[in-house]
Structure formats: C-alpha cells, structure tokens
Amino acid sequence: MTVGPSSSDSPPLPHRNDSDRLGLADASRYRDTLAFAVRGLWTVTLVGVRPFAFWGAVLLPLLYLPSLYGVGTGQDTALFVELVAWHVAAIVLGHGHTPFWGR
C-alpha cells in the first residue's frame, strides 16, 4: 500500500508541440485587442478630464496678470512659464468639450 499520490492518480500533462505557439495571426489579434483596450481607456479618461480642462483653459488666463505683476524675480518668471504650460495643456485636453448650454 502506498501513501500519497501516484503517477496514475493525476491526469497526463498535455504535450507541447509547435502548434501550441502563437502564430502571426494570433499575435496580430492580441495586439489589436490591446490597442482597442488602450484607446477605450484613453477615451474614458478623456471624457472625465475634458470638462475640467475646458474650464481650466477658460479661467487660467485670469491668473496671468497677478503673476506678471511680480515678473522681476526668478521665481515669478518660473511661475508664469508653468502657468502658460498648464494653460496650453488645458486648451489641448479641453478642446472637444461642449458646455451644457451649447448642446
């Protein structure tokens, strides 16, 4: 009498051969599926960010004058350049947003 599993108790392992590997058609299908998932994730993210970016692009220019008032120092110049960079990013991301009164 043996204690423990014997080789006859477990199912045989499948034999790996050349047909088990991914072919070019399968790799292309997986790549297309991954690209589709990334596009979907980007679209969902953009839908959530777009209204905030739109209104940021509308309101950020109001901060230009206070930051230009103290442009003499290096810190204020860096703040102004950063503000312009955020404004450009907000314009690009919020471009496609339609406010509720424009629908």
Side-chain angles (χ1 to χ4, degrees):
M1 179 170 196
T2 60
V3 179
S6 67
S7 63
S8 63
D9 291 340
S10 60
L13 295 174
H15 178 65
R16 290 193 61 107
N17 56 23
D18 290 336
S19 66
D20 290 340
R21 294 183 184 171
L22 289 176
L24 289 177
D26 291 334
S28 175
R29 189 178 81 223
Y30 289 126
R31 188 184 68 236
D32 292 343
T33 303
L34 180 63
F36 180 74
V38 167
R39 264 185 271 139
L41 182 64
W42 173 252
T43 302
V44 167
T45 303
L46 195 58
V47 165
V49 169
R50 188 171 276 156
F52 295 105
F54 174 81
W55 287 108
V58 169
L59 297 175
L60 275 174
L62 297 176
L63 299 176
Y64 283 171
L65 289 178
S67 66
L68 281 176
Y69 180 71
V71 163
T73 64
Q75 183 180 3
D76 291 331
T77 304
L79 175 67
F80 180 74
V81 169
E82 186 177 352
L83 185 62
V84 170
W86 279 108
H87 190 206
V88 168
I91 289 171
V92 169
L93 289 174
H95 176 70
H97 177 66
T98 304
F100 67 90
W101 63 81
R103 293 180 184 166

